[in-house]
Amino acid sequence: MMGAERAAETVKKLAKSLEKYKFILLVLLAGLLLLLLPTSADGGVERAGEESWEAVEYTFSLSELEEKLEKTLSKIEGAGEVTVALTLRSGTRQVLAQDMTVSDRNGDSSEERTTVVISSGSGREEAVSLQELAPQFQGAVVVCPGGDDPAVQLRLAEAVSDLTGLGADKISICKGK
């Protein structure tokens, strides 16, 4: 009878422990079930936007940007048909990966930098680009029929400033024909 009493006592302790920790056990069980569920047909994790990991080719065109600005600014109340001219301080630039070698011979230190290139199987080599920097604008001229209205000038200047990063002193707004 001693064995049966001990078994009953152990079962009571186990039931009491389960009652005390039932929520923790329930969360652990739910997590285990989620880990066991398949995520895709091939057993791997699906990526919603796998193309977003690829490098995006971006070519900057000043004339396209000016046309886009003209269409956008023409929608501002009181502006009318807008013509935009932008000037650049610098165009798009690439920051290339470089390998640096530093040598110290007899107290003379020298530094040698070489550009890292990738060789494609066809004998073509391309420099490894780490970053592409956007162009820096120098100034903007906006010509429109509503260019003499101070309220329109303010809205146009704010819009051009927001889109190009230019300060108001670098944006000229004039009344057109």
Side-chain angles (χ1 to χ4, degrees), residues 86-87 137-140 157 160-171:
L86 296 170
T87 56
F137 296 97
Q138 186 170 347
V160 172
S161 177
D162 290 344
L163 294 171
T164 62
L166 290 169
D169 61 326
K170 302 290 184 183
I171 302 168

Side-chain angles (χ1 to χ4, degrees), residues 11 37 39 41 48 62 81 87 92 109 112 118-120 153 174:
V11 169
L37 290 175
T39 54
L62 184 61
E81 188 176 332
T87 56
T92 56
S109 63
E112 184 179 318
I118 293 178
S119 175
S120 61
Q153 286 181 343
C174 306

